[in-house]
Amino acid sequence: MKGNAASDDEDTKAEETEENFSGNNDQEEGVSEGNIFITDGKYLYVLKKPDDVYKGTRSLVIYSADDGELGKCSEISLGMINDSTHIDYGTMYVEQDKLILTGYAYDISDRTAPKYVNTLTQSGYNISSRITDGVLYMVSWYTPSTSCTRDEYEKYIPMYNNMLVGEDNIYCPVYINDRSYTVIGSVELDNPTTYKDTEAVVLNPDNMYVSRNAIYFLEQIYE
């Protein structure tokens, strides 16, 4: 009986240790929002800002947190991925053994040696992102050029991975208050090598809310 009591007590302590850490402050249960600091109870993931914010370079450090001891596992330099001269990382996600930085994915099954997986791009400035049910949703704001001809589609139609958004995937509301697009791209994290789907709506994303089943946008209409 004493042995069983000790075993039960150890199991309870183990469960408390596994669950005793702060999660992200998400608005909707089951819909993850990105952050610059994340913990999964075993590791800390910290997105560090550069000394010169105008260069846009950053690094991401992974720390282990075993038995209250903080140890550095690895550091990912984010300054010149794919020869980019300016990269602005706003948030990151940690989903199982994948680490996502608004389009960049890393395999972190070995926290001491992260492996780069893929880069995905879409038109516009990054507005926000969410992850739910294993799918990453990226939202960007794209303003097309006004100095182009009818046949220069790439100047006024949103693109993803250098491909035009299909005409069946572009929606124009009844009331149009802006010539900008809100571009929504979705990526399955089990296969982060291509887009699952891409949509574009002609509106300015003033406010956004994401539930498990839908993405809502609120735009002001001036008459």
Side-chain angles (χ1 to χ4, degrees):
M1 294 296 293
K2 289 183 179 180
N4 291 336
S7 177
D8 293 341
D9 186 56
E10 289 176 359
D11 292 340
T12 302
K13 288 182 178 179
E15 291 176 0
E16 290 177 351
T17 302
E18 291 179 358
E19 299 177 358
N20 189 22
F21 64 93
S22 298
N24 204 27
N25 186 22
D26 299 325
Q27 298 181 69
E28 182 84 11
E29 184 177 355
V31 181
S32 300
E33 300 179 36
N35 212 327
I36 61 173
F37 176 91
I38 295 176
T39 180
D40 56 12
K42 295 181 179 179
Y43 298 92
L44 304 178
Y45 308 85
V46 182
L47 188 60
K48 298 178 65 177
K49 293 183 178 181
D51 295 330
D52 184 353
V53 295
Y54 294 103
K55 290 184 178 180
T57 56
R58 297 191 177 192
S59 64
L60 192 149
V61 185
I62 302 177
Y63 298 96
S64 62
D66 294 332
D67 298 325
E69 295 292 330
L70 193 64
K72 184 176 179 179
C73 292
S74 59
E75 182 169 358
I76 303 171
S77 176
L78 305 175
M80 292 292 290
I81 294 179
N82 290 349
D83 297 325
S84 299
T85 57
H86 178 89
I87 303 174
D88 184 14
Y89 297 97
T91 58
M92 64 176 167
Y93 297 86
V94 175
E95 294 287 324
Q96 298 180 355
D97 285 335
K98 292 187 178 67
L99 189 150
I100 303 99
L101 293 108
T102 316
Y104 288 98
Y106 287 86
D107 178 351
I108 54 172
S109 53
D110 181 358
R111 264 60 173 182
T112 63
K115 298 178 182 178
Y116 170 72
V117 177
N118 192 35
T119 300
L120 298 174
T121 62
Q122 66 187 49
S123 297
Y125 296 98
N126 176 57
I127 297 298
S128 191
S129 58
R130 298 288 193 277
I131 290 180
T132 180
D133 295 330
V135 179
L136 167 68
Y137 296 90
M138 295 182 291
V139 181
S140 58
W141 178 25
Y142 170 65
T143 302
S145 172
T146 56
S147 58
C148 59
T149 65
R150 182 185 180 92
D151 295 332
E152 293 179 303
Y153 303 117
E154 69 279 358
K155 291 188 177 181
Y156 64 89
I157 295 178
M159 304 183 72
Y160 60 100
N161 284 353
N162 297 318
M163 298 173 55
L164 294 172
V165 175
E167 59 184 59
D168 293 335
N169 298 79
I170 299 176
Y171 174 68
C172 293
V174 176
Y175 299 101
I176 297 178
N177 192 47
D178 196 285
R179 63 184 176 90
S180 301
Y181 291 90
T182 294
V183 183
I184 308 165
S186 61
V187 181
E188 291 181 321
L189 298 182
D190 286 341
N191 180 32
T193 58
T194 186
Y195 278 90
K196 175 178 179 287
D197 192 17
T198 299
E199 306 287 340
V201 184
V202 183
L203 61 80
N204 187 331
D206 292 336
N207 293 283
M208 182 183 81
Y209 184 83
V210 181
S211 71
R212 292 287 296 269
N213 302 313
I215 300 176
Y216 302 90
F217 295 100
L218 174 63
E219 182 183 26
Q220 295 182 359
I221 300 296
Y222 298 96
E223 297 184 357

